[in-house]
Amino acid sequence: MTKHRYLPMTARDEAEMLAVIGASAMEDLFADIPASVRYTGDLPISGALDEAALLRHLRALADRNADFDRYASFLGAGIYDHQIPVVINHVISRSEFYTAYTPYQPEISQGELQAIFEFQSYICELTGMKVANASMYDGATALAEAAALASGATKRKRIVVSRAVHPEAREIVRTSARGLGLEIVEVGCADGVTDLGALSAAIDADTAAVLVQTPNFFGCLEDIPAIEALIHARQGLLVMSVNPLSLGLLESPGALGADIVVGDAQPLGIPASLGGPTCGFFAVTEALMRRMPGRIVGQTTDSEGRRGFVLTLQAREQHIRREKATSNICSNQALLALSASVYLSVMGREGMREVASLNLSKARYAQGKLEALGGCALPFSAPSFNEFVVKLPEGTDISALQAKLLAAGYIGGYDLGRTYPELAGHLLVAVTERRTREEMDGFVRALEASL
């Protein structure tokens, strides 16, 4: 009889396995778990469904999501509704890419390694940095790894973080810092950007790095030259978290003096997908190259002079460094890094500049419309990219407001009062190149009708 590897175990198989390990019943395997914490009743799920019924049920559940096809989204706060060229899905759906795993035998993974090498090259060109790695889990964990790198490179334990950095990223930095024994000092904001006076006071001789995000969580652009001067005067490192799409218009972090540049590649052709997964990028100066977490793909030539690719500088705990490894990050987001690479190759330099310009100009249009609404105001004067803060009329119930906007076909902005109590009644609004004039005007009318 032909054996089928993927059929579930039969009752006979179960009995034979229990006999081998000396158990009389499956319940014996859970004897060490106290009865008070075990659930022994029936699970609250329906009975078995046939294939057609199951598909109908799953479609009904999916239809409950407010997706970007049926709603115009003005919600950002880290995940954005950008145009995704159709060629991306075509490329990443090729079986040699979507079934690929970590290239432990790089000599037979040349296509995968080349794709990663191209990603690294694009990130270096975009950020103006010398070296980039094969990607990170996401932008937030990349920022935490940057803090760890800065501490190791400077032999200092104090990390100064702007409060304008994404709240979730700051939490991840704090979580990582506990295990590494780092001191995290947060600096407040003024007019939507890092308070430079407070930052100057917070930096001392034990400060390893300043962590700053630009555009920051409020959408505002930080004064990077001023921040760079403050931290480098104390021989610390400047860590910048950036929106890669904004670099189509803004000066590169490398040109501004950054030592470490991180960010999330989600704006580069990666779907929102209910919040993830995404892909982080990590780039450094040449001096910090050997301290970078993760892995790097290098280009070389074989004995016959042909171009080839290899894994290099794998300072990870899985390899020879073990407990001396620079990081416990032991993987990368290769498929999503490929998405970002395809996006950047399709857009090119001019395309990146154009899409960044569209984000900027459309956000400015929406800002003007919202500022003209009675009772609404723009509380910050600092320049911004494609996200900005709107102060709503006193006493506005933002949860009720968002429900009304959703009913009108719009996904409203982020309620800043959730993470910044001092900004209760403020809405963070994102406007990308996908938003049309009709959608922006409709959103403003719906907001006005809902206030």
Side-chain angles (χ1 to χ4, degrees), residues 43-49 57:
L43 293 175
I45 59 176
S46 67
L49 299 175
H57 176 63

Side-chain angles (χ1 to χ4, degrees), residues 127 139 142-146 239-243 260-264 281-283:
T127 61
L143 187 65
E145 289 291 329
V239 178
M240 287 178 62
S241 175
V242 298
N243 178 338
I260 305 172
V261 181
V262 301
D264 203 298
F281 58 87
F282 197 110

Side-chain angles (χ1 to χ4, degrees), residues 25-334:
M26 191 70 73
E27 283 296 308
D28 294 348
L29 304 180
F30 306 102
D32 293 332
I33 302 176
S36 60
V37 297
R38 291 173 59 187
Y39 184 77
T40 56
D42 294 330
L43 293 175
I45 59 176
S46 67
L49 299 175
D50 61 49
E51 186 177 276
L54 178 61
L55 287 172
R56 283 196 299 271
H57 176 63
L58 292 175
R59 288 193 188 102
L61 292 177
D63 285 343
R64 290 162 59 182
N65 294 323
D67 61 75
F68 293 158
D69 291 329
R70 294 180 297 152
Y71 295 83
S73 177
F74 290 86
L75 176 63
I79 298 288
Y80 303 92
D81 177 24
H82 289 292
Q83 182 66 33
I84 300 177
V86 294
V87 67
I88 292 178
N89 282 335
H90 174 75
V91 174
I92 69 172
S93 295
R94 293 180 61 93
S95 60
E96 60 265 42
F97 286 123
Y98 73 68
T99 62
Y101 186 57
T102 294
Y104 288 120
Q105 294 177 297
E107 65 277 5
I108 62 172
S109 303
Q110 288 296 296
E112 181 72 10
L113 290 177
Q114 181 177 353
I116 294 173
F117 180 81
E118 300 293 352
F119 172 79
Q120 295 172 179
S121 302
Y122 279 129
I123 293 302
C124 286
E125 185 170 353
L126 198 60
T127 61
M129 304 300 285
K130 290 295 185 181
V131 190
N133 71 9
S135 75
M136 307 290 285
Y137 294 134
D138 55 29
T141 52
L143 187 65
E145 289 291 329
L149 187 159
S151 174
T154 61
K155 303 297 188 292
R156 300 175 180 181
K157 291 291 187 178
R158 183 181 174 93
I159 304 293
V160 177
V161 185
S162 167
R163 200 159 179 267
V165 169
H166 196 299
E168 293 173 2
R170 285 187 281 118
E171 284 300 310
I172 291 172
V173 170
R174 283 188 176 278
T175 299
S176 298
R178 282 199 292 271
L180 298 171
L182 305 182
E183 177 193 6
I184 302 297
V185 178
E186 284 195 3
V187 170
C189 307
D191 193 25
V193 294
T194 306
D195 186 328
L196 294 179
L199 179 65
S200 178
I203 298 173
D204 60 17
D206 194 42
T207 300
V210 167
L211 276 53
V212 64
Q213 176 181 336
T214 186
N216 63 29
F217 189 65
F218 308 127
C220 298
L221 303 180
E222 296 281 357
D223 186 350
I224 298 301
I227 296 172
E228 181 269 337
L230 289 174
I231 184 60
H232 284 162
R234 293 298 189 106
Q235 290 73 53
L237 301 182
L238 172 61
V239 178
M240 287 178 62
S241 175
V242 298
N243 178 338
L245 206 59
S246 72
L247 298 180
L249 286 180
L250 302 178
E251 184 73 89
S252 71
L256 294 173
D259 299 289
I260 305 172
V261 181
V262 301
D264 203 298
Q266 188 273 325
L268 305 179
I270 298 175
S273 299
L274 300 176
T278 62
C279 167
F281 58 87
F282 197 110
V284 297
T285 59
E286 192 169 355
L288 298 174
M289 175 174 62
R290 292 185 177 274
R291 293 183 174 275
M292 191 159 50
R295 61 183 60 168
I296 304 174
V297 173
Q299 180 176 273
T300 186
T301 55
D302 65 11
S303 59
E304 298 180 6
R306 296 174 300 186
R307 185 173 71 151
F309 300 91
V310 295
L311 285 178
T312 184
L313 298 180
Q314 300 180 78
R316 301 158 50 212
E317 92 293 346
Q318 285 186 330
H319 300 295
I320 59 173
R321 297 294 296 274
R322 296 183 183 274
E323 72 278 359
K324 295 181 180 179
T326 58
S327 168
N328 66 357
I329 293 288
C330 53
S331 190
N332 61 284
Q333 293 281 26

Side-chain angles (χ1 to χ4, degrees), residues 327-351:
S327 168
N328 66 357
I329 293 288
C330 53
S331 190
N332 61 284
Q333 293 281 26
L335 191 64
L336 297 179
L338 177 61
S339 296
S341 297
V342 176
Y343 181 91
L344 289 166
S345 67
V346 168
M347 301 301 290
R349 187 183 300 273
E350 289 305 315

